[in-house]
């Protein structure tokens, strides 16, 4: 009989490979995959964790009540990089380890950013709709080649975007509180102030975690600094961009367009942004590729096994 019970609510866990499941089953774990088509609420999670030793979650709401309900819970393995949906303090109080899967989806997110740049610059979705409705109207776009790209947050994903942007001979500006001067020199990236980046960039892309400091980082003031021809891309976290301010900026043509892979509320059922033609909204697909799903699943499973067996090497985010 398996020694541990692992409850999995991360929707895409194991979709592209059986290896993550095999890692768990090969290490004395009973695996219970919850068939959900959306992130679960705290109320839905509470009965699921009562007898679980480990929980592998996506963007589900792991609140203090959920953590307290897990009487045997030893590890919460976040299937992804961000962990703002997990109450780290409550977990730490209960002696529950929280882990994540850094670097597993870097390439997938960076690829998506480049794709969204092209979609915005060439009005690809609008043209597609015209043709499919029987028309053949052309909409004039703009090139991204040689333009100025502003990257807010030059971590692993931001660096991936910078490398790809150099293939378009873009002038890359970046803002980060921890500058990597070696990288900037090697790839010709220029560090500058936050305000200067907003004012000079033709495209601004966000790659910072959601924290109390970054919540509402892009609001009315910041959008007002951007060029009227500029595009904003957010594949990081909903809440970093003030959606009401963004709606006003887009509706009043203060900026040319935006692409959002993340929203404050997902799905954004009642968001006024859905009514605008100059915004592209995707369903949090930044890390949703075969390669990223496999990588995240393997790392998330290994994190569980390492913590349950009291071994070193797990990617712990709530340690000292």
């Amino acid at each position: 009989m398996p020694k541990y019970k692992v409850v999995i609510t991360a929707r895409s866990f194991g979709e592209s490979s059986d290896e993550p499941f095999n890692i768990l089953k090969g290490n004395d774990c009973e695996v219970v995959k919850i068939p959900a088509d959306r992130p679960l609420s705290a109320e839905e999670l509470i009965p699921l964790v009562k007898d679980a030793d480990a929980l592998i979650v996506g963007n589900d709401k792991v609140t203090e009540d959920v953590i307290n309900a897990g009487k045997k819970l030893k590890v919460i393995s976040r299937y992804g990089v961000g962990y703002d949906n997990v109450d780290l303090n409550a977990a730490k109080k209960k002696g529950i380890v929280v882990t994540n899967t850094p670097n597993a989806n870097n390439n997938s997110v960076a690829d998506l950013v480049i794709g969204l740049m092209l979609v915005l610059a060439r009005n690809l979705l609008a043209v597609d709709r015209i043709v499919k409705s029987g028309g053949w109207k052309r909409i004039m776009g703009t090139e991204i080649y040689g333009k100025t790209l502003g990257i807010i947050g030059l971590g692993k994903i931001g660096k991936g975007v910078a490398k790809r942007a150099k293939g378009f001979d873009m002038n890359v500006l970046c803002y980060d509180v921890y500058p990597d001067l070696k990288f900037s020199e090697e790839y010709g990236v220029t560090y500058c102030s936050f305000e200067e980046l907003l004012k000079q960039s033709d495209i601004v892309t966000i790659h910072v975690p959601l924290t109390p400091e970054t919540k509402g980082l892009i609001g009315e003031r910041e959008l007002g600094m951007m060029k009227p021809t500029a595009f904003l891309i957010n594949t990081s976290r909903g809440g970093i961009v003030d959606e009401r301010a963004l709606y006003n900026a887009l509706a009043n043509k203060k900026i040319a367009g935006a692409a959002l892979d993340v929203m404050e509320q997902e799905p954004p059922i009642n968001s006024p942004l859905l009514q605008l033609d100059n915004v592209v909204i995707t369903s949090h697909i930044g890390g949703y590729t075969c390669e990223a799903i496999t990588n995240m699943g393997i790392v998330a499973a290994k994190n569980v096994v390492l913590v349950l067996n009291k071994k070193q090497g797990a990617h712990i985010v709530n340690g000292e």
Side-chain angles (χ1 to χ4, degrees), residues 152-175:
I152 300 173
L154 200 70
K156 298 284 188 178
I157 295 173
K159 285 173 178 165
V161 174
K163 290 177 183 178
R164 288 159 174 78
K166 283 299 176 178
F168 289 89
D169 203 22
M170 299 185 85
N171 171 38
V172 180
L173 304 178
C174 65
Y175 169 77

Side-chain angles (χ1 to χ4, degrees), residues 31-302:
V31 178
V32 179
K33 174 81 184 292
I34 305 302
D37 60 357
R38 56 175 173 73
L40 300 182
S41 67
E43 291 73 20
E44 291 169 314
L45 278 175
I46 286 171
L48 300 176
V49 302
K50 287 187 175 178
D51 61 346
D53 296 282
L55 179 64
I56 298 179
V57 295
N59 293 311
D60 315 274
K61 296 296 181 185
V62 188
T63 64
E64 184 174 10
D65 288 340
V66 174
I67 289 164
N68 289 335
K71 303 302 181 184
K72 296 169 57 184
L73 202 58
K74 301 170 185 68
V75 54
I76 298 166
S77 180
R78 172 72 176 89
Y79 176 76
V81 181
Y83 42 84
D84 49 278
N85 58 310
V86 180
D87 189 328
L88 296 186
N89 290 329
K92 193 169 183 178
K93 280 184 199 173
K94 296 276 290 183
I96 297 169
V97 176
V98 181
T99 64
N100 71 342
T101 59
N103 308 324
N105 65 1
N106 292 349
N107 285 326
S108 295
V109 178
D111 283 356
L112 179 64
V113 172
I114 300 299
L116 292 173
M117 285 187 204
L118 291 166
V119 166
L120 288 171
R122 299 306 300 270
N123 295 297
L124 295 181
L125 296 188
V127 175
D128 175 75
R129 287 193 294 268
I130 290 169
V131 174
K132 286 179 178 176
S133 64
W136 198 246
K137 179 184 176 182
R138 297 189 296 176
I139 300 177
M140 186 176 294
T142 185
E143 296 178 0
I144 67 170
Y145 187 87
K147 294 295 196 303
T148 296
L149 172 67
I151 302 175
I152 300 173
L154 200 70
K156 298 284 188 178
I157 295 173
K159 285 173 178 165
V161 174
K163 290 177 183 178
R164 288 159 174 78
K166 283 299 176 178
F168 289 89
D169 203 22
M170 299 185 85
N171 171 38
V172 180
L173 304 178
C174 65
Y175 169 77
D176 196 297
V177 293
Y178 301 108
D180 185 338
L181 299 180
K182 183 179 177 182
F183 179 88
S184 66
E185 184 176 345
E186 182 177 356
Y187 289 94
V189 171
T190 303
Y191 281 97
C192 65
S193 70
F194 184 54
E195 290 76 13
E196 187 179 356
L197 182 148
L198 293 172
K199 290 175 183 177
Q200 293 191 20
S201 299
D202 298 299
I203 302 167
V204 174
T205 180
I206 302 168
H207 301 286
V208 294
L210 178 61
T211 65
E213 292 74 30
T214 62
K215 185 172 177 60
L217 180 68
I218 303 294
E220 182 179 358
R221 172 180 171 271
E222 292 74 24
L223 291 163
M225 293 182 187
M226 294 173 63
K227 299 177 181 179
T229 54
F231 300 114
L232 177 69
I233 297 173
N234 185 15
T235 57
S236 188
R237 275 290 183 270
I240 295 173
V241 176
D242 180 332
E243 291 181 8
R244 182 178 295 276
L246 179 60
Y247 173 83
N248 291 334
L250 291 168
N252 295 307
K253 304 293 191 278
K254 297 289 181 65
I255 65 172
L260 308 172
D261 187 46
V262 289
M263 302 287 288
E264 290 180 22
Q265 178 186 333
E266 296 179 357
I269 298 169
N270 298 312
S271 173
L273 288 166
L274 297 173
Q275 310 304 318
L276 298 178
D277 291 332
N278 57 345
V279 61
V280 174
I281 301 175
T282 51
S283 52
H284 209 135
I285 60 169
Y288 198 57
T289 62
C290 292
E291 295 85 352
I293 293 304
T294 298
N295 291 338
M296 286 193 293
I298 289 171
V299 176
K302 285 182 176 178

